[in-house]
Amino acid sequence: MKSIRLLLTIFFDLTLVGVSVHAEESISFRPQLTGRDALAEWSLDGSGSWTVIDGKLVLEKAGKPAGPIRRPAPLAILKTDPLKRVTLKAEVRSTAPQDVLRRDVNLIFDYESPSRFYYVHLSGVTDAVHHGIFLVADADRRRIDDGNGQPQLKDQDWHRVRLERDGTTGRIEVYVDGSKAPVLVASDTTIRTGRVGLGSFDDTGEFSKIEITGSK
């Protein structure tokens, strides 16, 4: 009898292990940034004008925020399955004129719909609505970090960015140009899963060397 109970316990434990191992499916993806059909890998949300040229995703015409809620205007969202955990790496640069102090580029994550997603706003100025981590949840965008991040986008140079998101714990961390510590941090679980993308609130920009790894 004890042997049977032991075998049942071992079987039950192995079954639980199997469930935990196979519950999440990992993915690794690099969007194509060459060729005539490269833009077809993206869902374009909002205004603005996008193209793909010379290995870059280019926001060539700025969008204008409009509609019932205040949110970034032009977004390009990758056509992937929703992800629960994700790392988004890219090289980004603002092409706004040099005299635009509040220039910005955005990293989009947990995108469910045009009115439900998070975004990282990298800018040349930190204030109430610039340079931070924001939530759009069927209402005007709302800051969810502490609002004390140092501006990272003061020029038209290329910058290496890395976004780490865990929808289970709510962790959000942003690294720029190889920083050892995150330059922006927040925690929120309003939305736990979704797609990733790139954009700007109302400027132009370029994105290259885009890489997404994560799990469903």
Side-chain angles (χ1 to χ4, degrees):
M1 191 67 175
K2 290 183 178 180
S3 298
I4 294 175
R5 288 178 179 174
L6 178 60
L7 287 172
L8 287 174
T9 301
I10 292 173
F11 176 78
F12 184 68
D13 289 343
L14 287 175
T15 302
L16 287 180
V17 170
V19 169
S20 65
V21 168
H22 297 291
E24 294 186 358
E25 179 183 345
S26 297
I27 71 160
S28 180
F29 183 67
R30 292 188 179 188
Q32 177 183 343
L33 295 178
T34 59
R36 299 174 63 181
D37 298 326
L39 202 58
E41 294 186 341
W42 304 82
S43 299
L44 304 183
D45 172 5
S47 56
S49 179
W50 295 87
T51 189
V52 174
I53 186 171
D54 297 331
K56 297 177 293 186
L57 175 67
V58 180
L59 176 53
E60 57 185 356
K61 181 180 178 181
K64 294 183 179 180
I69 62 175
R70 186 71 172 167
R71 45 145 283 182
L75 307 180
I77 308 299
L78 270 170
K79 294 178 180 179
T80 65
D81 290 332
L83 300 174
K84 183 185 297 182
R85 294 182 178 87
V86 66
T87 298
L88 168 60
K89 297 179 181 179
E91 293 193 2
V92 307
R93 81 181 191 102
S94 170
T95 54
Q98 289 283 13
D99 60 350
V100 176
L101 299 180
R102 287 173 170 79
R103 64 181 60 244
D104 80 281
V105 296
N106 297 170
L107 312 177
I108 315 302
F109 60 100
D110 284 356
Y111 179 95
E112 288 187 344
S113 72
S115 62
R116 288 184 62 81
F117 60 90
Y118 296 94
Y119 68 97
V120 175
H121 186 284
L122 297 174
S123 182
V125 171
T126 299
D127 59 25
V129 295
H130 292 85
H131 195 70
I133 303 174
F134 295 82
L135 168 66
V136 176
D138 301 315
D140 289 355
R141 47 90 166 92
R142 174 172 62 85
R143 179 186 287 276
I144 58 172
D145 67 313
D146 63 12
N148 296 320
Q150 292 298 309
Q152 301 289 321
L153 205 69
K154 297 183 177 182
D155 50 42
Q156 293 181 327
D157 295 341
W158 285 98
H159 296 277
R160 291 178 291 120
V161 299
R162 185 175 96 244
L163 164 68
E164 301 277 356
R165 165 61 168 170
D166 186 334
T168 301
T169 65
R171 177 180 62 91
I172 306 163
E173 296 179 349
V174 183
Y175 300 81
V176 176
D177 292 331
S179 60
K180 293 183 179 180
V183 300
L184 293 170
V185 177
S187 182
D188 193 86
T189 56
T190 302
I191 307 171
R192 291 181 178 269
T193 184
R195 295 190 288 155
V196 298
L198 300 158
S200 174
F201 205 92
D202 55 6
D203 284 324
T204 56
E206 297 180 348
F207 309 86
S208 70
K209 299 181 180 179
I210 302 164
E211 180 181 355
I212 296 93
T213 56
S215 59
K216 300 178 182 180

